[in-house]
């Protein structure tokens, strides 16, 4: 199959690309599309035959459920059943973060095919803020299932050429919307009995979610106890007390995610900043080709490295997240024996970055 890439850099090209994408989707095909997080591989979420194509192109196991992207907020009630006790929380989250990089896991309606949810009684839903993705899903008018547009277990694509190298020849069309803004996958939270549980760290941080919690309490004229506040953040995998002090504060590794995700083919080792990688200067290791993925400055041990990538010269976590996968991919393609990655501060967006680095090193 020949894979076409269409540009969106003029209004006319965008309109043509949106139409072409919708045409493929209506044909039951899948299409590579940019979102604000990473590139997605989209198909009609309500058509099992179309969704099957996603699994085939990605070589993704059928037990790994997909995220459903909605054309509008009105679709939320069509694909999910929101229990009464979660209503206010869901409404507040949707009002604050949609469209945007927050995925909600909620009880599903029967309209959602089993293949999308891997047979679970919940479905993950999101509404993208990306101008290209939202134009396509709005024009098409039906929800799209769209996991990241990479082969299973590979690094998520953050630019159209990455999608081409992952899925070229397997899908008919990729829409190029330039590099993605956030660079790491959406935050996933499960909403259950009026409470949130973090399933995957992402661009919407525990701090951001905490603002909704406090606003909800305020709107009810309720002052939460210290224990209630701690409980809220604990379910998001962080400690409130440490967060206030600006300390690294992860208390758990996000559950429900497969370790094989985000892995470069090259072995990746995670080290503390400034640690000398002496282990590699031994006799047997001397000839090893090492690359470095550093947060904000070149490693002190740079003489060991064949190539170095700096995630953010100014130490900005946003920039680091946005460039993480492209730089990891670049190192992965450099024919190295090992990538040495430096840890980043584990607060705010750093939580999502460290989550991906840990998975890449697993
Ligand atoms: P991706 O679309 O590749 O970014 O990954 C989708 C991920 O969302 C899956 O690997 C699951 O971890 C998560 N997910 C999707 N649906 C559900 C669900 N119903 N319950 C829990 N997690 C889900
Ligand atoms: Mg993925």
């Amino acid at each position: 199959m020949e894979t076409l890439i269409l540009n969106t850099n003029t209004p006319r090209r965008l309109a043509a690309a949106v139409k072409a994408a919708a045409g493929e989707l209506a044909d039951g095909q899948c299409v590579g599309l940019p979102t604000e997080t990473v590139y997605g591989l989209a198909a009609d979420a309500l058509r099992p035959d179309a969704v099957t194509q996603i699994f085939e192109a990605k070589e993704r196991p059928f037990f790994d459920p997909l995220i459903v992207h909605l054309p509008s907020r009105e679709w939320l009630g069509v694909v999910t059943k929101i229990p009464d006790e979660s209503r206010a929380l869901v409404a507040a989250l949707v009002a604050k973060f949609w469209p945007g990089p927050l995925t909600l896991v909620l009880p599903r309606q029967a309209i959602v095919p089993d293949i999308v949810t891997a047979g679970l009684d919940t479905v993950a839903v999101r509404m993208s803020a990306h101008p290209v993705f939202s134009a396509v899903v709005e024009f098409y008018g039906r929800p799209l299932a769209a996991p990241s547009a990479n082969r299973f277990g590979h690094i998520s694509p953050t630019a159209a050429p990455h999608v081409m190298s992952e899925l070229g020849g397997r899908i008919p069309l990729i829409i190029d919307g330039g590099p993605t803004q956030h660079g790491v996958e959406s935050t996933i939270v499960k909403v259950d009995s009026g409470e949130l549980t973090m399933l995957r760290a992402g661009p919407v941080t525990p701090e951001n979610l905490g603002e909704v919690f406090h606003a909800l309490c305020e709107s009810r004229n309720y002052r939460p106890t210290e224990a209630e506040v701690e409980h809220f953040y604990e379910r998001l995998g962080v400690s409130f007390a440490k967060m206030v002090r600006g300390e690294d504060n992860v208390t758990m590794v996000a559950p429900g995610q497969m370790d094989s995700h985000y892995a470069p083919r090259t072995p990746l080792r995670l080290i503390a900043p400034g640690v000398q990688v002496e282990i590699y200067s031994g006799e047997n290791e001397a000839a090893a080709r090492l690359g470095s993925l550093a947060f904000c400055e070149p490693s002190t041990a740079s003489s060991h490295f064949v190539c170095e990538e700096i995630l953010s010269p100014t130490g900005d976590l946003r920039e680091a997240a946005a460039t993480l996968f492209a730089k990891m991919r670049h190192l992965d393609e450099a024919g190295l024996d090992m990538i040495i990655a430096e840890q980043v501060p584990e607060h705010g967006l750093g939580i999502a970055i460290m989550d991906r680095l840990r998975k890449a090193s697993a």
Side-chain angles (χ1 to χ4, degrees):
M1 183 189 295
E2 204 190 323
T3 304
L4 184 66
I5 296 197
L6 291 179
N7 272 311
T8 54
N9 43 20
T10 67
R12 216 193 177 141
R13 284 187 184 149
L14 171 63
V18 167
K19 237 175 139 182
E24 294 292 351
L25 293 166
D27 268 353
Q29 299 295 319
C30 44
V31 180
L33 294 176
T35 80
E36 67 271 49
T37 56
V38 302
Y39 272 70
L41 183 61
D44 188 322
L46 305 182
R47 279 179 61 176
D49 63 320
V51 175
T52 305
Q53 311 263 357
I54 295 178
F55 286 91
E56 276 172 12
K58 283 182 58 96
E59 296 170 46
R60 179 170 171 127
F62 285 105
F63 53 77
D64 196 8
L66 305 179
I67 294 171
V68 174
H69 294 246
L70 308 179
S72 67
R73 288 179 173 81
E74 284 66 51
W75 275 91
L76 184 59
V78 181
V79 298
T80 70
K81 277 188 276 212
I82 307 172
D84 286 342
E85 65 275 19
S86 298
R87 265 183 198 285
L89 180 56
V90 170
L93 292 169
V94 164
K96 188 166 168 83
F97 299 112
W98 280 15
L102 179 70
T103 298
L104 302 176
V105 172
L106 286 162
R108 69 149 152 164
Q109 298 275 10
I111 190 176
V112 184
D114 277 335
I115 187 175
V116 170
T117 66
L120 297 170
D121 53 11
T122 53
V123 62
V125 287
R126 171 182 163 193
M127 208 179 126
S128 174
H130 194 286
V132 174
F133 196 99
S134 57
V136 171
V137 72
E138 280 168 30
F139 184 86
Y140 187 60
R142 287 158 64 87
L144 299 177
S148 52
N150 50 276
R151 277 177 272 161
F152 184 69
H154 287 199
I155 302 166
S156 293
T158 54
H162 303 166
V163 182
M164 189 54 129
S165 87
E166 289 288 324
L167 301 174
R170 298 176 178 210
I171 59 173
L173 179 63
I174 299 167
I175 310 295
D176 189 346
T180 61
Q181 180 197 343
H182 296 294
V184 289
E185 299 84 349
S186 63
T187 303
I188 306 180
V189 287
K190 184 166 186 166
V191 191
D192 195 11
S193 312
E195 289 204 295
L196 289 185
T197 311
M198 181 71 80
L199 298 183
R200 176 170 78 189
V204 174
T205 64
E207 289 95 315
N208 300 147
L209 295 166
E211 286 166 28
V212 168
F213 171 74
H214 290 295
L216 265 181
C217 290
E218 218 160 273
S219 73
R220 294 165 176 158
N221 267 326
Y222 180 72
R223 210 188 137 86
T225 64
E226 249 173 61
E228 283 167 335
V229 172
E230 198 56 60
H231 173 79
F232 174 84
Y233 285 100
E234 222 165 67
R235 295 182 66 102
L236 299 179
V238 299
S239 147
F240 182 68
K242 286 189 178 176
M243 203 171 82
V244 168
R245 296 197 296 265
E247 291 171 14
D248 278 7
N249 61 4
V250 171
T251 59
M252 63 162 200
V253 177
Q257 293 276 306
M258 268 176 284
D259 280 339
S260 61
H261 268 162
Y262 318 108
R265 275 149 291 175
T266 315
L268 181 143
R269 175 165 294 194
L270 202 48
I271 60 160
V275 161
Q276 285 279 341
V277 281
E278 285 149 22
I279 33 171
Y280 300 106
S281 54
E283 213 178 315
N284 295 333
E285 318 269 9
R289 284 169 57 85
L290 303 179
S292 153
L293 186 64
F295 175 42
C296 59
E297 12 185 86
S299 163
T300 45
S302 46
S303 60
H304 292 300
F305 299 123
V306 179
C307 45
E308 280 200 307
E309 290 283 1
I310 310 295
L311 292 175
S312 167
T314 57
D316 174 6
L317 288 168
R318 275 192 185 281
E319 185 186 17
T323 60
L324 173 68
F325 286 145
K327 290 185 170 167
M328 206 192 276
R329 186 175 284 272
H330 182 234
L331 290 173
D332 200 21
E333 285 161 359
L336 303 167
D337 296 304
M338 183 168 283
I339 299 167
I340 305 295
E342 206 175 75
Q343 290 167 12
V344 309
E346 209 155 359
H347 54 76
L349 250 183
I351 297 171
I353 298 173
M354 279 299 290
D355 170 67
R356 305 314 188 266
L357 286 174
R358 285 202 184 93
K359 282 171 178 156
S361 71

